[in-house]
Amino acid sequence: MKPRNLLVIFGDQLSMDMASLKAADPAQDHVLMVEVAAEAETVNHHKQKLVFFFAAMRHFRDELRAAGWSVDYVTLDAPENTGTFEGEIARAVERLSPDRLVFTAPSEWRVERMVGTLENALDIPVKTLEDTRFLCGRNEFAAWAEGRRGLRMEYFYREMRRKTGLLMNDDKPEGGRWNFDAENRKPAGTDLFMPRPPRIKPDQTTADVITMVGETFDTHCGKLKGFGYAVTRADAEKCLDYFISHALPLFGDYQDAMLTGEPYLYHSVLSPYINVGLLDPLDVCRRAEEAYKKGRAPLNAVEGFIRQIIGWREYVRGIYWLKMPDYVDANHLEAKRPLPDFYWTAETEMACLKAAIGQTMELAYAHHIQRLMITGNFALLAGINPKEVHEWYLGVYVDALEWVELPNTLGMSQFADGGLLGSKPYAASANYINKMSDYCSGCRFRADRKVGEDACPFNALYWHFLDRNRDRIGSNARLRNTYSTWDRMHADTRADYLAAAERFLASL
Ligand code: FAD
Ligand code: SF4
């Protein structure tokens, strides 16, 4: 039967709550899902990330069919597959002759632009509905941002608390404060109980995808063996249950901590599931709030967790749509150095980088502080071209979609937007890494040495970064004390730092 509407569902729209599905009728409308090589090749995507997306899509196809939907599903290895969204949508229109194409707004600028060309190219009406999985619509964020001098996340977050009622008593925040971050900066010890997020054994559908990815994307980065992510709603729910009961209570205390051999600590590892639609962000927050209300998790943990989701996650999406397409080319610090090879191999003597990159290649996961204060901090201090840094983050993490990765990388981590997202660069010397992790104790460099053969490279790089960027960030009020310290140093000491950093950079 000729469908009335052809609903195109993308790989990060795997929820029965998608606006296009909710507005449709399985008796008259048809779903199209396609695996395309062009998307898998936009950057060097980690093999486990490719498995995650394709396997979750195939399971969602089965869920839709079980719910009575007609689904046209084109696998990557289908001989007729053209390899692009445009090509596959055109073929489906030819095959099924629908009256109309219906989309839920794509999450990424590139895909939205593609959708915008279809009406003319295929001579068919196209309707795009807002993605209601986000708490703050794109227009709503633009209205919030309009006329503000600074777009600080903290104020946006308070609006979202009021809007959702999460941790609110009428119009007052639970516990009398909006933010309990000051209590969330403890280093972790190896004697703590460490939760382990469930690893899900691949079923036959996932095993088929693992074989396909191994054969087709052999040259892509990352280990394929050991894939254990959830790819169905039911398994993602199990991961959420595990996090709420085992890790959430200590999430706040150890949010910024890093430990050798402990890739997850008390982090949730829920971002891939939330980002593709297997878990609903507001439901996840309500589960955390419930744990607090039942006395199973403290306020500093629950507030911190909820802030990441209704604060940071919504905020970076707002910034992405406000600033694209120019945002991707931002390079306020004019950083030009190529990304060092060890970002792909983990072959470096710096123990912190080796740990963060090694686990990234092994698991397609690193937690926020590893991304921000180890790999991100190093790239910032060494002056790596932010576009190359962005493409690395977009490729290597299982949760990476451009709308969330780009503002985090370019804005928060690399200060490439000149301070739109962060009030100062997240730049740190070895002192911070030594305080928040145990990496330095197993490193061939010494965190407390400033210069010399065994001095930690982060130390000289830190001052080199501040010195070479003085024209661009020297007037930042939050860096005033740091620049005063630099200025008070003996000229020989400053020269030693700068020479050591130059030598190190030349060796990269
Ligand atoms: P948890 O620490 O358990 O946090 C809970 C949830 O809060 C996460 O699942 C996530 O949904 C949300 N969250 C936390 N921090 C952020 C944030 N800064 N921005 C948006 N959401 C947040 N997150 C992605 O989802 N995809 C990315 O591609 C991505 N790239 C990043 C790149 C850099 C350079 C940095 C510094 C951060 C990036 N983040 C990204 C944000 C954050 O690091 C990840 O969301 C988090 O590490 C995911 O692990 P988790 O689920 O264990 O998070
Ligand atoms: Fe990293 Fe320096 Fe510590 Fe080594 S000494 S782990 S390079 S911060």
Side-chain angles (χ1 to χ4, degrees), residues 454-471:
D454 61 351
C456 170
F458 277 89
N459 292 332
L461 285 177
Y462 177 73
W463 292 116
H464 191 270
F465 165 80
L466 288 164
D467 186 64
R468 74 173 183 269
N469 285 305
R470 192 160 200 155
D471 289 351

Side-chain angles (χ1 to χ4, degrees), residues 115-395:
V115 169
T117 64
L118 294 174
E119 189 150 326
N120 279 340
L122 303 179
D123 195 21
I124 184 172
V126 173
K127 186 164 176 60
T128 302
L129 303 166
E130 179 151 14
D131 191 340
T132 49
R133 289 176 298 172
F134 291 93
L135 295 173
C136 182
R138 281 160 53 175
N139 292 339
E140 190 183 344
F141 187 88
W144 174 80
E146 178 80 39
R148 279 174 192 266
R149 273 201 308 132
L151 299 181
R152 291 291 161 249
M153 197 289 292
E154 188 61 31
Y155 297 111
F156 170 79
Y157 165 58
R158 293 178 192 180
E159 296 287 320
M160 293 300 107
R161 287 276 292 278
R162 290 192 186 96
K163 183 171 178 176
T164 57
L166 283 162
L167 298 178
M168 294 296 292
N169 296 311
D170 299 323
D171 61 344
K172 298 269 181 310
E174 176 74 17
R177 267 154 55 197
W178 291 100
N179 181 319
F180 290 81
D181 237 6
E183 289 159 39
N184 289 356
R185 295 192 184 122
K186 295 193 184 130
T190 42
D191 54 340
L192 286 164
F193 158 74
M194 290 296 166
R196 294 271 181 273
R199 308 282 304 161
I200 310 293
K201 191 170 179 296
D203 65 5
Q204 192 54 52
T205 303
T206 304
D208 291 345
V209 174
I210 292 174
T211 306
M212 179 185 81
V213 167
E215 286 168 5
T216 318
F217 302 103
D218 189 33
T219 56
H220 278 232
C221 69
K223 251 197 185 165
L224 185 54
K225 201 160 168 267
F227 179 87
Y229 287 101
V231 291
T232 64
R233 200 166 320 285
D235 284 337
E237 290 282 350
K238 275 187 212 154
C239 297
L240 172 61
D241 290 346
Y242 183 88
F243 168 70
I244 299 280
S245 49
H246 293 86
L248 177 63
L250 289 177
F251 173 86
D253 287 1
Y254 300 111
Q255 203 178 339
D256 288 3
M258 297 169 279
L259 270 186
T260 308
E262 294 293 344
Y264 310 112
L265 289 165
Y266 298 89
H267 291 272
S268 68
V269 201
L270 295 177
S271 50
Y273 314 134
I274 299 174
N275 290 353
V276 303
L278 296 183
L279 293 177
D280 177 73
L282 191 53
D283 283 352
V284 169
C285 291
R286 295 224 184 283
R287 287 287 309 279
E289 184 188 40
E290 187 193 2
Y292 166 68
K293 286 188 173 159
K294 291 188 169 159
R296 293 182 187 143
L299 186 55
N300 70 310
V302 174
E303 186 282 315
F305 180 72
I306 286 176
R307 175 158 27 91
Q308 307 310 314
I309 297 182
I310 67 169
W312 279 111
R313 187 171 182 274
E314 295 282 334
Y315 170 80
V316 296
R317 176 182 185 251
I319 295 283
Y320 177 79
W321 284 106
L322 201 62
K323 295 297 170 188
M324 280 298 279
D326 299 339
Y327 200 63
V328 72
D329 294 315
N331 190 356
H332 178 71
L333 301 179
E334 297 177 49
K336 295 193 178 75
R337 202 173 295 281
L339 189 77
D341 281 348
F342 66 73
Y343 271 72
W344 301 107
T345 61
E347 282 169 21
T348 165
E349 291 184 309
M350 289 174 279
C352 52
L353 282 159
K354 194 178 186 66
I357 297 169
Q359 93 173 49
T360 296
M361 291 305 154
E362 175 99 18
L363 303 169
Y365 177 84
H367 69 66
H368 186 68
I369 295 302
Q370 294 175 306
R371 298 187 204 195
L372 187 64
M373 300 312 294
I374 304 292
T375 43
N377 181 27
F378 182 84
L380 175 73
L381 299 186
I384 311 296
N385 180 336
K387 203 162 189 175
E388 290 195 31
V389 183
H390 147 60
E391 289 180 351
W392 184 79
Y393 280 101
L394 185 59

